């Protein structure tokens, strides 16, 4: 429940319209946040639908390094 609450807060922040946490550009802040989002996405438990996180996860997945270490199917 706490993790869902934090992911909901992150999704609310992403509703601002900027593609990344600190604005229009990918920054260091997106690395640890992206790993948490990836883990949240792949683990099987009840979670709210957060389209902003889905879009953020997809954007991160466009980055070669994130595809290798984040969107790699591992929890």
């Amino acid at each position: 429940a706490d993790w869902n609450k934090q992911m909901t807060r992150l999704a609310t922040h992403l509703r601002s319209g900027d593609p990344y946490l600190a604005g229009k550009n990918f920054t260091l802040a997106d690395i640890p946040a992206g790993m948490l989002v990836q883990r949240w996405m792949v683990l099987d438990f009840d979670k709210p639908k957060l389209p902003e996180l889905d879009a953020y996860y997809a954007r991160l997945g466009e980055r070669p390094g994130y595809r290798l270490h984040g969107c790699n199917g591992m929890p």
Side-chain angles (χ1 to χ4, degrees):
D2 288 336
W3 201 2
N4 284 338
K5 181 180 176 183
Q6 296 306 317
M7 292 294 108
T8 299
R9 289 179 70 193
L10 179 58
T12 299
H13 174 75
L14 291 167
R15 277 187 208 126
S16 69
D18 286 329
Y20 297 103
L21 294 183
K24 297 190 185 317
N25 298 311
F26 179 86
T27 67
L28 183 62
D30 294 294
I31 295 171
M35 298 310 286
L36 289 171
V37 169
Q38 184 271 340
R39 188 172 188 109
W40 186 81
M41 292 281 194
V42 300
L43 292 178
D44 185 25
F45 64 96
D46 288 332
K47 47 189 113 140
K49 296 201 182 303
L50 300 171
E52 298 85 4
L53 279 188
D54 293 337
Y56 179 62
Y57 187 61
R59 271 191 301 282
L60 292 175
E62 295 170 358
R63 304 183 62 79
Y66 192 79
R67 276 195 309 274
L68 182 63
H69 299 289
C71 298
N72 59 10
M74 302 291 290

